[in-house]
Amino acid sequence: MNRRRFVTVAVTTATASLAGCAFGGFGDSEELTAELEDEDKESFEADEGDELEVTVTVEDGDEVEVGITYDLETTAENEEDEENGARAYSGPVLDETVEGEETFDIEIPTDGYYQVTVTGGSARVTVE
């Protein structure tokens, strides 16, 4: 009986550890890392009140425009609780011109998906 319990605990622990690796475990809080070219868009999910750090490194061009906006369409498509629905939010969370490399602190206004857009060149964007 004790052997079965030990094997069950060992298998459960190993499975949980592997799942943590597959989904960004070990304290990795990174939400998004992407190299975006002119007019490319990439989405990430965040919760209301999250305080995130956005680092933008210009890869091609003198400067780029970087914007982060609420992605209502993706949020609505992925909403699990249809009763709550996706909340509309207007206005950019971030709208900056970047030369070289800059870091910005943002606070997420509402639960859902957010879209990062780069215009005027290419840049590596990290949101964590």
Side-chain angles (χ1 to χ4, degrees), residues 36-40 58-65 118-123:
L36 302 173
E37 295 183 13
D38 194 31
E39 299 296 322
D40 277 353
V58 177
E59 300 287 330
D60 183 30
D62 294 331
E63 63 183 29
V64 295
E65 296 289 324
V118 170
T119 307
S122 67

Side-chain angles (χ1 to χ4, degrees), residues 2-47:
N2 284 337
R3 179 172 162 74
R4 256 189 241 153
R5 190 174 309 149
F6 173 76
V7 170
T8 301
V9 170
V11 169
T12 303
T13 303
T15 302
S17 296
L18 289 174
C21 291
F23 296 105
F26 301 111
D28 183 14
S29 63
E30 198 164 273
E31 300 287 336
L32 169 76
T33 296
E35 186 162 327
L36 302 173
E37 295 183 13
D38 194 31
E39 299 296 322
D40 277 353
K41 298 174 182 172
E42 192 73 37
S43 290
F44 66 94
E45 185 177 15
D47 295 324

Side-chain angles (χ1 to χ4, degrees), residues 27-118:
D28 183 14
S29 63
E30 198 164 273
E31 300 287 336
L32 169 76
T33 296
E35 186 162 327
L36 302 173
E37 295 183 13
D38 194 31
E39 299 296 322
D40 277 353
K41 298 174 182 172
E42 192 73 37
S43 290
F44 66 94
E45 185 177 15
D47 295 324
E48 181 177 340
D50 283 354
E51 294 179 3
L52 303 175
E53 186 176 272
V54 180
T55 302
V56 180
T57 305
V58 177
E59 300 287 330
D60 183 30
D62 294 331
E63 63 183 29
V64 295
E65 296 289 324
V66 177
I68 298 179
T69 55
Y70 183 67
D71 188 348
L72 181 59
E73 184 177 325
T74 303
T75 300
E77 289 173 5
N78 291 292
E79 183 62 45
E80 291 177 10
D81 184 2
E82 292 180 22
E83 196 171 296
N84 288 338
R87 292 188 205 143
Y89 175 79
S90 62
V93 177
L94 180 71
D95 186 14
E96 296 287 340
T97 301
V98 177
E99 293 181 31
E101 180 175 306
E102 289 190 52
T103 300
F104 306 95
D105 293 323
I106 62 171
E107 185 172 338
I108 299 299
T110 189
D111 294 350
Y113 286 82
Y114 289 80
Q115 191 171 78
V116 180
T117 306
V118 170

